[in-house]
Amino acid sequence: MISQKSAQAVAKQGVKAQVVSRQRVVRCHAVAAAERPPTVKAQGPIVMNGQVLHSISQERLELVQTLGPYMESQVLPLLRDPTKSWQPSDFLPESSDPDFLDKVRELRTRTQQLPDDYLVVFVGDMITEEALPTYMAMLNTLDGVRDETGAAPTPWGRWTREWTAEENRHGDLMNKYMYLTGRVNMHAIEVTIQNLIGSGMDPKTENNPYLGFVYTSFQERATKISHGNTARHALEHGDEVLAKICGSIASDEGRHEQAYQRIMDAVYEKDPNGATLAFADMMRKQIVMPAHLMDDGEHHGKTGRNLFADFSSVAEKTGTYTAMDYADIMEHLNKRWRVAERSDLTGEACEAADYLVKMPDRIRKLAERSNARKQKNKGQTSPFAWVFDRPVELV
């Protein structure tokens, strides 16, 4: 039971929240009506093949370029010394050991308990990790932070290369482990990886570091959640080694999440209006997953459906990554960047804050309706080339 005193405190908090919300809306509309044109002319945007490019203003570009010392003190320390980091070989049978084949047999016996839906989700995550060249290229499209030479000693250049180096271990380890299990069709997986890297990705970040670092702040947390859940599921299926692998990768993603969110912390500190507008812009576009263009060259022809959509359905069904997780991530970022509490927003940014605060609950309601509709197709399956065309439940 809640005490009378606690109830009164909760009521006061509710009233206070309503007042703050109303004040924000009133201030928002008042400032928007009187808003003057920006004093700094934007460099863009440029539109090419229907895509917006270089949308950041000169003023905001210069702001980003002042963040070098902050990167040095607050972001680069999150990286790990390679000599002290885990490496893929730490989790795999040592090929030079006399009992290597015995250890591989033990691994294969252990992984026989992994169901096909788990394998599909793990492989989809692995393919996502293996498309790392695309993600490094994406970071190097961002104005003001790209590695201009390929070996630039700037904090931004160092971050991009060393982040990539840490991430490289993930796909490397996952790929080798799956190969040793004998449970998956490596050729079909390799075709998918090559196709995905060749296709690239379109996160709609417009060469704009504000948008780019909102995207990575969200995406790294999503990846952490997915790997954390594959760790939990591996343990449930009796593979402790695979659970440790997924847990170690999730831990890396957690550090990387913190790094990108710290960058946006600094942007919010210096330019709360611009940061809020960028956050809202990316959420209106929706955060696309890095592997949204995956294609194995077979799936659509066999099923008439999109491979990434079917992989996502299996991830949703198994509880590995869901629409509810998407809403939770957005709510987390709202709290971290104090979107609902800010009194330093004006004009469009104030309206954007209201949109951001309301969106998580809207997403949850849409997800509930979608799940209710999916029940009509309960038991629907699809073959996946990754598991030798064995049928896997989508709903």
Side-chain angles (χ1 to χ4, degrees), residues 266-287:
V267 175
Y268 255 105
E269 181 69 26
K270 292 175 177 288
D271 181 13
N273 284 321
T276 302
L277 288 171
F279 186 14
D281 185 17
M282 289 307 300
M283 298 314 302
R284 286 191 175 101
K285 293 172 181 174
Q286 299 185 350
I287 300 292

Side-chain angles (χ1 to χ4, degrees), residues 9-261:
V10 170
K12 287 180 180 178
Q13 289 174 355
V15 170
K16 182 178 179 182
Q18 291 175 0
V19 170
V20 169
S21 179
R22 283 197 296 270
Q23 289 174 340
R24 185 169 62 245
V25 171
V26 170
R27 182 179 68 252
C28 168
H29 288 290
V31 175
E35 201 170 44
R36 296 184 298 275
T39 56
V40 178
K41 185 178 179 181
Q43 292 181 324
I46 301 167
V47 179
M48 182 181 293
N49 298 324
Q51 298 293 315
V52 177
L53 308 176
H54 307 290
S55 62
I56 192 169
S57 70
Q58 182 63 31
E59 182 180 35
R60 287 178 172 144
L61 181 60
E62 291 172 359
L63 183 153
V64 170
Q65 292 170 334
T66 68
L67 297 180
Y70 179 86
M71 288 289 294
E72 290 274 8
S73 64
Q74 300 299 317
V75 178
L76 291 180
L78 290 170
L79 294 164
R80 294 288 182 263
D81 180 345
T83 63
K84 298 177 182 177
S85 298
W86 65 261
Q87 298 298 335
S89 57
D90 297 337
F91 297 91
L92 300 168
E94 174 53 59
S95 59
S96 63
D97 284 352
D99 60 350
F100 170 68
L101 294 178
D102 291 334
K103 290 180 179 178
V104 171
R105 278 189 284 270
E106 289 175 10
L107 183 155
R108 290 190 164 206
T109 299
R110 189 171 64 241
T111 57
Q112 284 300 312
Q113 304 305 313
L114 300 174
D116 284 339
D117 57 3
Y118 180 90
L119 293 174
V120 164
V121 173
F122 184 92
V123 167
D125 283 352
M126 179 186 86
I127 290 167
T128 303
E129 294 284 354
E130 290 278 45
L132 184 61
T134 297
Y135 316 142
M136 186 178 190
M138 189 277 282
L139 287 175
N140 279 327
T141 68
L142 301 179
D143 293 331
V145 302
R146 65 175 60 89
D147 183 350
E148 296 286 359
T149 69
T154 64
W156 297 108
R158 288 172 54 204
W159 167 261
T160 296
R161 295 192 303 273
E162 293 179 38
W163 169 83
T164 301
E166 287 196 351
E167 290 276 338
N168 186 63
R169 300 169 304 149
H170 301 171
D172 191 10
L173 173 54
M174 296 169 81
N175 193 310
K176 288 173 180 174
Y177 196 87
M178 281 293 104
Y179 173 77
L180 290 174
T181 68
R183 297 286 314 282
V184 297
N185 182 342
M186 290 304 300
H187 182 82
I189 291 168
E190 289 157 356
V191 168
T192 311
I193 294 168
Q194 186 170 348
N195 279 335
L196 179 57
I197 296 172
S199 297
M201 66 180 291
D202 179 18
K204 296 181 172 58
T205 49
E206 304 175 8
N207 308 100
N208 186 328
Y210 278 40
L211 301 181
F213 293 132
V214 168
Y215 179 85
T216 52
S217 292
F218 189 106
Q219 185 53 48
E220 290 283 25
R221 188 171 182 85
T223 309
K224 179 186 74 173
I225 290 169
S226 183
H227 285 303
N229 283 325
T230 54
R232 177 170 57 84
H233 296 157
L235 198 58
E236 291 170 357
H237 297 307
D239 192 339
E240 292 185 7
V241 176
L242 187 54
K244 289 178 181 177
I245 288 172
C246 296
S248 297
I249 294 171
S251 179
D252 277 359
E253 304 293 6
R255 283 189 295 106
H256 299 162
E257 170 202 354
Q258 287 298 311
Y260 288 117
Q261 289 174 14

